[in-house]
Amino acid sequence: MSADRKLFLILLIACIFGTIAVLPYTLTLQGELLQNLPVPLYVLLAAQLIQAIVLFGVAIFVGLYFAKKVGLGLPILGGWLEGRVVKSYLKSILGISIGLGILAGILIIGLDYLFSFAGVPINVTQASINPPAWQGFLASFYGGINEEVLLRLFVMTLIAWMIFRIKKTEEGKPTNTGMWLAIIIAAVIFGAGHLPAVMAITTLTPLVIVRTIILNAVGGIIFGWLYWKKGLESAMISHFSADIVLHVILPLIAVI
């Protein structure tokens, strides 16, 4: 089996794990909505898993294909599968990845607090239900793996490639402006993608919409920059670290 196929399978298995890991968290948030299901819960969960396998399978395949064309990718996993020594590079990205992830989490908490002065409840997406920290820990794998595959490897890569087709450097590489546009657009899409979850829990007002997009876009921009400069693994580590701050540390502090 080629290194590319192995990379595809590793990412797909990781996304399946992330999809399963987030279930306790989502079931807690949607507890009331699940009481009157027209089908058994296990049927719904099985359908969601199949849907996830198809969705992430396509996202990984397309993302890996276009990533090579614009100089993006997974230098650690890809290098390891090709037999290169990647331990030193992994060590070199850990600090900045975790540090920027923690910073993203703190920035999101701070901005959330500022929005509270405008009448938006702090942590509005969990205003009435607060999943326990262990569920938040498991859900963090979904953010770090699945959301980065979907929003960075797939969406950001595809946008970067489309811009690259329009304008490139003399060396045939994506321009910095083009990459930043891809990062920002993907980050805004990332923020907008959280609106259905917010809508299921609270009323969507213009301020709630703006708050949801801005708070999530902050992280998306940081993760997008790391994907560009350090590789997808760096963005995954950073996103996971940010979610640990938001879904594990913050809930634990709240109960003290």
Side-chain angles (χ1 to χ4, degrees):
M1 185 182 296
S2 67
D4 288 342
R5 289 184 179 180
K6 289 179 181 177
L7 182 57
F8 172 86
L9 286 176
I10 289 172
L11 288 176
L12 183 58
I13 291 170
C15 285
I16 293 172
F17 166 73
T19 300
I20 295 172
V22 78
L23 286 178
Y25 187 88
T26 56
L27 289 175
T28 297
L29 287 179
Q30 300 174 4
E32 296 181 1
L33 299 176
L34 298 174
Q35 292 179 359
N36 299 311
L37 287 176
V39 297
L41 180 59
Y42 70 86
V43 174
L44 178 63
L45 295 178
Q48 289 180 343
L49 182 58
I50 294 171
Q51 182 184 43
I53 292 172
V54 175
L55 172 65
F56 289 106
V58 172
I60 294 166
F61 181 83
V62 174
L64 290 177
Y65 177 79
F66 286 105
K68 288 185 176 181
K69 297 181 177 296
V70 292
L72 297 171
L74 296 90
I76 296 173
L77 273 176
W80 174 67
L81 290 172
E82 292 173 1
R84 299 197 302 269
V85 178
V86 296
K87 186 176 180 180
S88 60
Y89 184 73
L90 174 59
K91 288 182 178 180
S92 73
I93 70 166
L94 275 179
I96 189 171
S97 302
I98 295 173
L100 287 179
I102 293 172
L103 175 63
I106 293 172
L107 285 174
I108 291 169
I109 293 170
L111 288 170
D112 201 8
Y113 184 74
L114 291 177
F115 271 103
S116 70
F117 287 105
V120 181
I122 292 178
N123 207 15
V124 68
T125 57
Q126 299 175 28
S128 58
I129 306 172
N130 293 290
W134 71 267
Q135 292 183 4
F137 174 75
L138 291 177
S140 298
F141 286 100
Y142 184 88
I145 298 171
N146 300 57
E147 290 182 353
E148 286 308 304
V149 164
L150 190 61
L151 274 300
R152 246 59 64 184
L153 181 61
F154 177 64
V155 174
M156 179 180 152
T157 299
L158 200 56
I159 295 171
W161 176 79
M162 288 188 289
I163 297 172
F164 168 75
R165 295 283 293 176
I166 299 171
K167 186 175 179 58
K168 63 185 74 172
T169 65
E170 294 180 356
E171 295 78 19
K173 296 180 179 180
T175 64
N176 288 342
T177 301
M179 290 304 302
W180 274 113
L181 278 174
I183 289 170
I184 293 170
I185 293 171
V188 172
I189 293 173
F190 176 58
H194 286 77
L195 290 175
V198 176
M199 184 171 57
I201 297 170
T202 189
T203 303
L204 283 185
T205 65
L207 192 58
V208 169
I209 293 172
V210 170
R211 173 251 180 219
T212 302
I213 293 175
I214 289 179
L215 263 61
N216 287 286
V218 166
I221 290 173
I222 292 174
F223 310 144
W225 180 84
L226 286 170
Y227 174 40
W228 175 27
K229 294 296 185 179
K230 306 294 182 180
L232 186 66
E233 299 97 339
S234 178
M236 287 177 163
I237 294 169
S238 189
H239 195 149
F240 179 80
S241 301
D243 279 2
I244 289 296
V245 172
L246 295 171
H247 302 309
V248 179
I249 297 176
L250 188 61
L252 288 175
I253 293 176
V255 299
I256 296 177

